Structures are given as structure tokens and as C-alpha cells.
Amino acid sequence: MQQRDVTQADAPTEGGPTGVPVPPPLGEHLRSPRLRAAMVVQQEALYAAREFLRERGFTELLPPLVGPVTDPGGRGAKALDVDYYGQPYKLMTSAILYKQASLRGFGKLFYIAPNVRVEPPETAGTGRHLVEFHQIDVEMAGASRDDVQEIAAGLLSRVVAHVWRTVPDVLRGLGRDELDFAETLDGKFDGCTHEEAVARLAGRGHRQSPDAEIDWAGEKLLSLEADRPFFINDYPKGSRGFYDREDPERPGVLRNFDLIAHGGYGELVSGSEREADYATIVTRMRESGENPAKYAWYLDMAREGIPASAGFGMGVQRLVRFLTGLDALWQVSAYPKLPGVIAP
């Protein structure tokens, strides 16, 4: 890949919580030619994503920003509390619970959803984490994992094709080569199970817990070895949220997946079939240490009946980083907030 031109306005400064480069002052960052290029790519990516989903009968809803409860998250990330007329509410770390509830009126829906997660400061050095980010959140009633994987793969392929068709000079100016996306454009994605991924990592000397999500170092290793995007399926129960459906024929295995980009860019998509049975959801909440009383509105809807579904979230900033080949998510965010770094 050719060397990118980096102006003084592009240059990062030092001083993050782990000594990693952090964004320059906001005024300089907003004037950066690199950021302008990334925002052009982002604009075209979102245009293509909306076009693709609308063609397939999905309705775009505007997601909620606050609620009495949000996705409990994982890997040390926390929600921010807000005072909502004297009630303790949360900023959305993910709108997944609202996606499920919305299926009662919209069988195929999507959001371009803002999310706020207070990530551990040490994640500032991964290049893959921000406190504020956006997702293309998709949910489909009556769908299986295979159904939504097909949507996720098609969505990624459409976005890549559209961006290369509309702004190829921008991508080439950032050092990208269309040949690097050949398999993505063809939709020729690979796949493996979580168990197989753990075994592959062990064979390369990387110690990965078989009971947990693939850690960031392991995910990057698998991503660097790949020449095309690939799915990791069947994460173990307990490694993901209570809403991921357990395989009825394989207790302890979840009907979920990640879509990993090749080239070291890591996870672009995370999704699953959803638990829809009221009693099962309550049991899963308790197993994961969640207090069902916090989820009263959601459980009321589940008791009345939420359609079985499957869905996913595709990170917008991660998608744009993959398209542009830039080094870190803050470089593709107009107003970046790195974990542990105070920013306007």
C-alpha cells in the first residue's frame, strides 16, 4: 500500500492514557484533509447502506437516545447515567432492546444509531474504540442467523462497490487499492466457529479463553491472516448478552456471529438470533447477573409477545476505517472521544 500524505493538521499528538497518539485540537482535526476524505467516504457508505436496506423492505426509524435501561454491554464498558425528571436513565450503549420491541409494528427495521459507551481507558490504544460511535442497526422478524448474515454480507458488498464507483480517487488518495476488496465485492466470505477460531489461535501461540469472546489481540491476528471478510459463529453462552438465543440443540452455544474484516481491521458486525420467550429471557438475565426488575418495560412487552427475530449492528466508524485504511477510529470521526481522554 502506498504511503499516505499527512499534513501538519493531520498529525496526532501524544498524551493518551497509555501513551498512544490522540487527536490534535478539534479545530485542527476538522481542517484535516484526511478527515474530509473520510467524511466523503462515510457519506457515500451511509447512502449505499440506506439504499440497500430500503430496497429489501426495511423501514428506517430514529432510535431513542435515553431510556430506563440499555444493553448491559461487556468487556468493561459502562453506560452513562442521566437525570430524567428525577428518574435515573441511561444513555444508549445500544438500542437493541428497542429494536426488538419495535418489531411489534415494523417487521423489518433499521437505525443509524448513536451509542455512548464509557470504555476502559486501556482500549484507547487499540485503534478500534471510541466513547461515542454509530451503528447501522438492523432487525428482522422471523429471521434466522443465516438470513441476517446474508443481509450483512450483502450490505458490506454493496457499500464497498458503491464507494469504489463514486469516490475512487478519494480512496486511492488514502492509499487504498481496489484489489484489496476483490473478495468483498464478490461476496466470497469465509466462516468458522468460535471453537475453531480458538483452536487456530492456540496453534499460533495465542492463549484465548474458550469461554469468552475472542480478545482484541486474537481478533487482530485472525484478521491479519485473512484475505477476505469472514464470519465467526457460535460464541459460548455467557460471553454475550442475555438476548442472544441459545441453540436449542446445543446447550451452551449461542446462535450468534461476528463478521471480521480482513487486513487487521477486526470486527465490523456483531449479530444473533434473539431470545423472544419471556420466561427464557428472565432466566438468561438472572444467569448473567442482571436484575429483571430494571427491565420492566421490556419484559412487559416480552410477556405480551415479541416476535422471534435476528439482527445485527455494523459499526459506522469501523466500516469507514476499513474502507479508508486509516489507523484508528478517531481519524474517521469528526468529533472523536477516545476512552480516558477528555475532549470537547
Side-chain angles (χ1 to χ4, degrees), residues 228-294:
R228 67 194 67 196
F230 63 96
F231 291 102
I232 300 178
N233 298 317
D234 300 339
Y235 282 75
K237 184 180 178 181
S239 67
R240 292 285 176 89
F242 59 79
Y243 39 76
D244 282 11
R245 181 171 177 256
E246 186 174 7
D247 192 322
E249 298 180 359
R250 295 181 297 163
V253 176
L254 300 174
R255 294 279 300 166
N256 62 2
F257 68 93
D258 281 348
L259 176 57
I260 310 297
H262 60 295
Y265 295 96
E267 176 204 323
L268 293 181
V269 176
S270 186
S272 73
E273 294 178 11
R274 313 300 189 191
E275 293 287 5
D277 176 71
Y278 169 80
T280 303
I281 292 172
V282 172
T283 298
R284 290 287 303 281
M285 283 180 175
R286 289 173 174 154
E287 288 174 346
S288 63
E290 289 295 314
N291 178 5
K294 295 194 308 181

Side-chain angles (χ1 to χ4, degrees), residues 113-188:
N115 296 270
V116 178
R117 297 181 188 175
V118 184
E119 299 279 1
E122 59 268 22
T123 62
T126 66
R128 298 178 52 246
H129 292 86
L130 292 171
V131 173
E132 293 181 350
F133 63 98
H134 294 75
Q135 289 194 145
I136 304 169
D137 254 322
V138 176
E139 201 72 17
M140 185 174 174
S144 68
R145 178 173 64 189
D146 289 347
D147 294 330
V148 292
Q149 284 186 335
E150 183 178 350
I151 294 292
L155 174 58
L156 179 58
S157 296
R158 169 68 74 87
V159 166
V160 170
H162 176 84
V163 172
W164 273 105
R165 185 173 65 253
T166 54
V167 290
D169 292 345
V170 174
L171 294 174
R172 293 189 185 107
L174 291 167
R176 299 303 267 164
D177 188 327
E178 193 169 3
L179 290 176
D180 294 335
F181 297 90
E183 285 77 12
T184 311
L185 289 166
D186 290 340
K188 296 178 180 177

Side-chain angles (χ1 to χ4, degrees), residues 48-58 108 110 158:
R50 285 187 162 103
E51 183 180 60
F52 176 86
L53 292 167
R54 289 181 63 182
E55 285 174 2
R56 281 151 184 79
F58 288 85
K108 299 171 74 173
F110 74 98
R158 169 68 74 87

Side-chain angles (χ1 to χ4, degrees), residues 279-344:
T280 303
I281 292 172
V282 172
T283 298
R284 290 287 303 281
M285 283 180 175
R286 289 173 174 154
E287 288 174 346
S288 63
E290 289 295 314
N291 178 5
K294 295 194 308 181
Y295 297 85
W297 73 267
Y298 171 74
L299 289 175
D300 285 345
M301 285 199 170
R303 187 185 293 109
E304 294 170 7
I306 291 175
S309 69
F312 63 84
M314 176 181 284
V316 172
Q317 283 80 12
R318 290 185 179 185
L319 173 62
V320 176
R321 182 189 172 214
F322 170 61
L323 292 165
T324 59
L326 293 173
D327 298 321
L329 290 191
W330 68 260
Q331 295 171 321
V332 299
S333 174
Y335 314 105
K337 289 183 174 59
L338 272 177
V341 178
I342 304 301

